[in-house]
Amino acid sequence: RKEVEQDPGPFNVPEGATVAFNCTYSNSASQSFFWYRQDCRKEPKLLMSVYSSGNEDGRFTAQLNRASQYISLLIRDSKLSDSATYLCVVNIGGFKTIFGAGTRLFVKA
Amino acid sequence: DAGITQSPRHKVTETGTPVTLRCHQTENHRYMYWYRQDPGHGLRLIHYSYGVKDTDKGEVSDGYSVSRSKTEDFLLTLESATSSQTSVYFCAISEGQIGKNTEAFFGQGTRLTVV
């Protein structure tokens, strides 16, 4: 079992739709959680950190469920520019930071 | 954007030849990392550095070595390239340890093909 697992997608949604991704992690000692965004053939960039109480940044909401060991990313009112791969990132201590393989999102007009 | 550049951006090399990839930063960040990215896998850590001449192995370090003689430069060497090392290589930098609520900044990547 992979330490961090994501549905690879792709998710194909129309503009204006709400879409949610989940990411599960296997190590209960995981400490920090993040979502990164990677455009096609580009480098990953931090989208947002994920806090225990949940957090929101504009149209993006991140949630953490420690009991079930998953994090989620909700995107409201999807834009064409949201088309990208979203990487789930989990730190389990020290330099042990695991990147998920990513979930691809296509937003269509 | 963070000042981090990788060179070369693309390279094709033959099996058995040594290859060196360079990562250069202008941010004066302490930590530098080399990752590889392959389809179906997340970014996997090859080696990292926590200071000049201070380096350590990541999860996929076999066949790779690194050096950091200056704060701004982190070199990744494939001692004898194999086809399994065909990949996209990303360098990253961070002020603190990645995952300690510290953002990682990535270079634009190097596409390496070993034939």
Side-chain angles (χ1 to χ4, degrees):
Chain A
R1 181 185 174 189
K2 290 184 178 178
E3 292 185 271
V4 173
E5 293 202 71
Q6 296 184 250
D7 182 341
F11 286 64
N12 293 290
V13 302
E15 272 187 296
T18 295
V19 62
F21 313 133
N22 280 347
C23 164
T24 58
Y25 60 93
S26 60
N27 192 320
S28 60
S30 298
Q31 300 175 1
S32 306
F33 309 87
F34 309 86
W35 284 102
Y36 276 68
R37 170 198 168 123
Q38 185 172 24
D39 292 325
C40 188
R41 301 178 76 85
K42 298 287 189 179
E43 72 274 21
K45 294 184 178 181
L46 179 65
L47 178 66
M48 58 197 303
S49 301
V50 185
Y51 302 121
S52 297
S53 55
N55 48 300
E56 190 173 303
D57 183 1
R59 298 182 292 108
F60 297 84
T61 299
Q63 299 274 1
L64 167 63
N65 186 316
R66 283 192 182 274
S68 299
Q69 296 186 197
Y70 74 86
I71 66 172
S72 64
L73 178 67
L74 180 77
I75 305 175
R76 290 180 299 277
D77 189 22
S78 298
K79 311 291 185 191
L80 293 175
S81 58
D82 293 333
S83 296
T85 297
Y86 291 84
L87 309 178
C88 168
V89 182
V90 176
N91 175 266
I92 59 175
F95 285 95
K96 189 85 167 153
T97 296
I98 310 298
F99 285 76
T103 297
R104 296 180 71 187
L105 171 67
F106 293 104
V107 181
K108 299 184 175 181
Chain B
D1 288 345
I4 174 169
T5 56
Q6 292 183 229
S7 60
R9 295 290 313 282
H10 300 270
K11 185 169 183 67
V12 179
T13 192
E14 292 185 352
T15 299
T17 60
V19 176
T20 295
L21 309 183
R22 180 180 184 238
C23 177
H24 178 78
Q25 62 148 327
T26 57
E27 304 295 326
N28 201 36
H29 284 352
R30 177 182 176 187
Y31 298 90
M32 299 186 75
Y33 313 80
W34 277 107
Y35 289 89
R36 61 178 289 174
Q37 187 174 37
D38 304 289
H41 294 273
L43 288 155
R44 291 181 290 175
L45 183 63
I46 304 170
H47 282 279
Y48 63 93
S49 170
Y50 46 95
V52 173
K53 296 193 187 327
D54 292 323
T55 65
D56 208 344
K57 296 178 180 180
E59 62 178 307
V60 290
S61 58
D62 287 348
Y64 302 94
S65 62
V66 291
S67 67
R68 191 171 179 196
S69 58
K70 298 185 289 185
T71 298
E72 57 267 34
D73 289 325
F74 192 32
L75 304 180
L76 176 71
T77 297
L78 289 65
E79 305 291 346
S80 176
T82 67
S83 58
S84 64
Q85 294 177 311
T86 292
S87 188
V88 179
Y89 291 85
F90 285 100
C91 176
I93 62 174
S94 64
E95 283 189 277
Q97 293 181 26
I98 292 178
K100 297 287 187 182
N101 289 318
T102 298
E103 182 174 358
F105 299 94
F106 287 84
Q108 293 175 295
T110 296
R111 293 186 174 274
L112 176 68
T113 302
V114 183
V115 298

